[in-house]
Protein backbone atom coordinates (compact mmCIF):
# COMPACT_ATOMS: atom_id res chain seq x y z
CA UNK A 1 0.00 0.00 0.00
CA UNK A 2 2.87 2.34 0.86
CA UNK A 3 4.52 1.60 -2.50
CA UNK A 4 1.24 2.39 -4.32
CA UNK A 5 1.02 5.79 -2.61
CA UNK A 6 4.62 6.53 -3.59
CA UNK A 7 4.00 5.65 -7.26
CA UNK A 8 0.85 7.77 -7.31
CA UNK A 9 2.69 10.75 -5.80
CA UNK A 10 5.48 10.40 -8.41
CA UNK A 11 2.87 10.22 -11.17
CA UNK A 12 1.16 13.44 -9.99
CA UNK A 13 4.45 15.34 -9.70
CA UNK A 14 5.79 14.18 -13.07
CA UNK A 15 2.47 15.02 -14.78
CA UNK A 16 2.57 18.51 -13.31
CA UNK A 17 6.17 19.01 -14.43
CA UNK A 18 5.29 17.97 -17.98
CA UNK A 19 1.94 19.78 -18.40
CA UNK A 20 2.89 23.22 -17.05
CA UNK A 21 5.90 23.86 -19.36
CA UNK A 22 3.96 22.57 -22.39
CA UNK A 23 1.03 24.90 -21.82
CA UNK A 24 3.39 27.84 -21.35
CA UNK A 25 5.27 26.98 -24.56
CA UNK A 26 2.15 26.74 -26.72
CA UNK A 27 0.25 29.70 -25.25
CA UNK A 28 -0.32 32.66 -27.56
CA UNK A 29 0.07 36.25 -26.40
CA UNK A 30 -3.09 38.31 -25.95
CA UNK A 31 -3.91 40.83 -28.68
CA UNK A 32 -3.27 44.51 -28.03
CA UNK A 33 -6.21 46.59 -26.73
CA UNK A 34 -9.75 45.46 -26.02
CA UNK A 35 -11.51 42.85 -28.14
CA UNK A 36 -13.96 44.24 -30.72
CA UNK A 37 -17.64 44.57 -29.82
CA UNK A 38 -20.01 41.86 -31.10
CA UNK A 39 -21.98 42.68 -34.29
CA UNK A 40 -24.95 44.94 -33.65
CA UNK A 41 -23.42 46.44 -30.50
CA UNK A 42 -21.00 48.88 -32.09
CA UNK A 43 -20.98 52.34 -30.57
CA UNK A 44 -22.91 54.89 -32.64
CA UNK A 45 -20.88 57.60 -34.30
CA UNK A 46 -22.00 61.10 -35.27
CA UNK A 47 -25.21 60.04 -37.05
CA UNK A 48 -28.33 60.64 -34.92
CA UNK A 49 -30.26 57.80 -36.62
CA UNK A 50 -27.77 55.28 -35.15
CA UNK A 51 -28.47 56.51 -31.62
CA UNK A 52 -32.03 55.16 -31.79
CA UNK A 53 -30.67 51.61 -31.58
CA UNK A 54 -28.96 52.28 -28.22
CA UNK A 55 -31.00 51.36 -25.13
CA UNK A 56 -31.99 54.17 -22.77
CA UNK A 57 -29.68 54.72 -19.80
CA UNK A 58 -30.62 52.81 -16.64
CA UNK A 59 -32.15 54.71 -13.71
CA UNK A 60 -29.70 56.45 -11.40
CA UNK A 61 -30.17 58.08 -8.05
CA UNK A 62 -28.63 61.40 -6.98
CA UNK A 63 -25.32 59.63 -6.21
CA UNK A 64 -25.21 58.34 -9.82
CA UNK A 65 -25.34 54.74 -8.61
CA UNK A 66 -27.17 52.34 -10.91
CA UNK A 67 -29.60 50.06 -9.09
CA UNK A 68 -30.85 46.86 -10.71
CA UNK A 69 -32.09 45.18 -7.52
CA UNK A 70 -35.47 43.49 -7.78
CA UNK A 71 -37.84 44.86 -10.39
CA UNK A 72 -37.60 48.52 -9.49
CA UNK A 73 -38.43 50.90 -12.28
CA UNK A 74 -38.86 54.60 -12.62
CA UNK A 75 -41.70 56.62 -14.07
CA UNK A 76 -40.92 60.10 -15.32
CA UNK A 77 -44.44 61.52 -15.36
CA UNK A 78 -46.12 60.64 -12.04
CA UNK A 79 -45.35 62.49 -8.80
CA UNK A 80 -44.50 60.30 -5.81
CA UNK A 81 -47.45 59.83 -3.44
CA UNK A 82 -48.45 57.67 -0.48
CA UNK A 83 -51.27 55.33 -1.51
CA UNK A 84 -51.92 53.35 1.67
CA UNK A 85 -50.73 52.85 5.26
CA UNK A 86 -51.22 49.65 7.29
CA UNK A 87 -50.45 49.29 10.99
CA UNK A 88 -50.65 45.98 12.82
CA UNK A 89 -49.81 45.24 16.45
CA UNK A 90 -47.27 42.41 16.73
CA UNK A 91 -46.55 42.70 20.45
CA UNK A 92 -47.93 44.62 23.43
CA UNK A 93 -45.93 47.77 22.65
CA UNK A 94 -44.69 47.05 19.10
CA UNK A 95 -46.53 48.02 15.91
CA UNK A 96 -45.53 47.06 12.37
CA UNK A 97 -46.04 50.03 10.02
CA UNK A 98 -46.25 49.57 6.24
CA UNK A 99 -46.29 52.60 3.94
CA UNK A 100 -47.25 51.98 0.28
CA UNK A 101 -46.30 54.34 -2.58
CA UNK A 102 -47.50 54.64 -6.17
CA UNK A 103 -44.00 53.91 -7.55
CA UNK A 104 -40.61 52.56 -6.51
CA UNK A 105 -38.72 54.64 -3.99
CA UNK A 106 -35.02 55.16 -3.53
CA UNK A 107 -34.04 53.23 -0.38
CA UNK A 108 -31.15 55.63 0.29
CA UNK A 109 -33.62 58.46 0.78
CA UNK A 110 -35.44 56.73 3.67
CA UNK A 111 -34.04 57.92 7.00
CA UNK A 112 -35.39 57.88 10.59
CA UNK A 113 -36.66 61.45 10.09
CA UNK A 114 -38.66 60.35 7.00
CA UNK A 115 -41.41 58.88 9.20
CA UNK A 116 -42.55 61.04 12.12
CA UNK A 117 -44.79 59.39 14.74
CA UNK A 118 -46.78 61.74 17.02
CA UNK A 119 -44.41 64.66 16.24
CA UNK A 120 -41.22 62.72 17.12
CA UNK A 121 -38.86 61.05 14.66
CA UNK A 122 -37.90 57.40 14.83
CA UNK A 123 -34.80 56.52 16.87
CA UNK A 124 -31.38 56.43 15.20
CA UNK A 125 -30.66 52.95 13.85
CA UNK A 126 -34.26 52.14 12.95
CA UNK A 127 -34.29 49.42 10.30
CA UNK A 128 -36.46 49.65 7.21
CA UNK A 129 -37.33 46.82 4.83
CA UNK A 130 -38.58 47.11 1.27
CA UNK A 131 -40.59 44.78 -0.93
CA UNK A 132 -39.16 43.46 -4.22
CA UNK A 133 -40.91 46.08 -6.32
CA UNK A 134 -39.56 48.82 -4.03
CA UNK A 135 -42.84 50.63 -3.45
CA UNK A 136 -43.39 49.63 0.21
CA UNK A 137 -41.52 50.57 3.38
CA UNK A 138 -41.92 48.37 6.46
CA UNK A 139 -40.63 49.14 9.96
CA UNK A 140 -41.38 48.51 13.64
CA UNK A 141 -42.57 51.29 15.92
CA UNK A 142 -42.75 51.19 19.71
CA UNK A 143 -46.11 52.59 20.81
CA UNK A 144 -48.92 51.49 23.10
CA UNK A 145 -51.76 53.57 21.66
CA UNK A 146 -54.46 52.29 19.35
CA UNK A 147 -53.97 55.22 16.98
CA UNK A 148 -51.21 57.69 16.19
CA UNK A 149 -50.36 60.46 13.77
CA UNK A 150 -47.90 59.46 11.03
CA UNK A 151 -46.08 62.07 8.95
CA UNK A 152 -44.28 60.91 5.78
CA UNK A 153 -41.67 63.29 4.35
CA UNK A 154 -38.27 63.59 2.59
CA UNK A 155 -38.54 60.36 0.56
CA UNK A 156 -37.49 60.32 -3.10
CA UNK A 157 -38.31 58.09 -6.03
CA UNK A 158 -35.61 56.88 -8.44
CA UNK A 159 -36.40 59.68 -10.86
CA UNK A 160 -35.76 62.27 -8.12
CA UNK A 161 -39.33 63.26 -7.25
CA UNK A 162 -39.83 64.11 -3.58
CA UNK A 163 -42.97 62.86 -1.82
CA UNK A 164 -45.41 65.54 -0.76
CA UNK A 165 -45.30 65.69 3.07
CA UNK A 166 -48.49 64.14 4.40
CA UNK A 167 -49.93 63.54 7.88
CA UNK A 168 -52.16 60.53 8.37
CA UNK A 169 -54.12 59.52 11.46
CA UNK A 170 -53.67 55.74 11.53
CA UNK A 171 -55.57 53.07 13.46
CA UNK A 172 -53.67 50.02 14.73
CA UNK A 173 -55.13 46.65 13.73
CA UNK A 174 -55.10 43.78 16.20
Amino acid sequence: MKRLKTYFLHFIISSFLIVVPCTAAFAEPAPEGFPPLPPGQELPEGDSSDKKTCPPPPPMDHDNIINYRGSRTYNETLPLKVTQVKCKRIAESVVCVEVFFNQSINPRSVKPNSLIINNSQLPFGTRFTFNKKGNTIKTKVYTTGDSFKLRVQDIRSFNGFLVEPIEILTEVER
Side-chain angles (χ1 to χ4, degrees), residues 69 71 98 132:
R69 182 177 166 207
S71 61
E98 287 183 273
K132 185 174 181 178

Side-chain angles (χ1 to χ4, degrees), residues 87 89 95 117-118 143-150 168-174:
C87 299
R89 186 163 308 279
V95 174
I117 308 270
N118 290 334
T143 184
T144 56
D146 288 336
S147 66
F148 56 87
K149 185 170 60 171
L150 173 68
I168 305 164
L169 182 62
T170 60
E171 296 289 326
V172 178
E173 298 174 9
R174 293 249 170 210

Side-chain angles (χ1 to χ4, degrees), residues 2 7 9 34 40-41 48 50 53 59 64 69 83 120 123 136 157 160 172:
K2 187 174 185 179
Y7 287 135
L9 185 61
F34 290 104
Q41 293 187 3
S48 63
D50 289 341
T53 61
N64 291 330
R69 182 177 166 207
T83 58
S120 61
T136 303
S157 63
V172 178

Side-chain angles (χ1 to χ4, degrees), residues 69 72 95-101 105-117 120-132 134-142 148 150-155:
R69 182 177 166 207
R72 295 178 183 177
V95 174
C96 179
V97 177
E98 287 183 273
V99 182
F100 297 86
F101 295 88
I105 57 169
N106 186 345
R108 291 179 197 88
S109 69
V110 180
K111 310 270 190 269
N113 65 349
S114 299
L115 300 176
I116 308 289
I117 308 270
S120 61
Q121 76 178 28
L122 298 176
F124 180 76
T126 300
R127 299 186 75 182
F128 300 98
T129 57
F130 305 88
N131 65 344
K132 185 174 181 178
N135 64 349
T136 303
I137 301 172
K138 197 174 194 179
T139 188
K140 293 179 184 175
V141 176
Y142 296 98
F148 56 87
L150 173 68
R151 180 175 174 84
V152 181
Q153 62 186 14
D154 300 332
I155 296 176

Side-chain angles (χ1 to χ4, degrees), residues 15-123:
S15 298
F16 180 75
L17 293 175
I18 292 171
V19 171
V20 170
C22 289
T23 56
F26 295 113
E28 295 181 15
E32 294 291 323
F34 290 104
L37 291 171
Q41 293 187 3
E42 289 84 14
L43 295 175
E45 300 188 18
D47 188 18
S48 63
S49 64
D50 289 341
K51 292 185 181 182
K52 293 178 184 175
T53 61
C54 292
M60 294 187 180
D61 62 5
H62 66 280
D63 297 327
N64 291 330
I65 298 172
I66 299 171
N67 191 334
Y68 291 106
R69 182 177 166 207
S71 61
R72 295 178 183 177
T73 58
Y74 66 105
N75 189 333
E76 296 180 8
T77 59
L78 295 175
L80 181 63
K81 293 185 179 182
V82 175
T83 58
Q84 185 180 7
V85 175
K86 287 185 182 179
C87 299
K88 186 172 183 178
R89 186 163 308 279
I90 56 177
E92 188 174 325
S93 61
V94 180
V95 174
C96 179
V97 177
E98 287 183 273
V99 182
F100 297 86
F101 295 88
N102 64 336
Q103 58 183 299
S104 299
I105 57 169
N106 186 345
R108 291 179 197 88
S109 69
V110 180
K111 310 270 190 269
N113 65 349
S114 299
L115 300 176
I116 308 289
I117 308 270
N118 290 334
N119 297 325
S120 61
Q121 76 178 28
L122 298 176

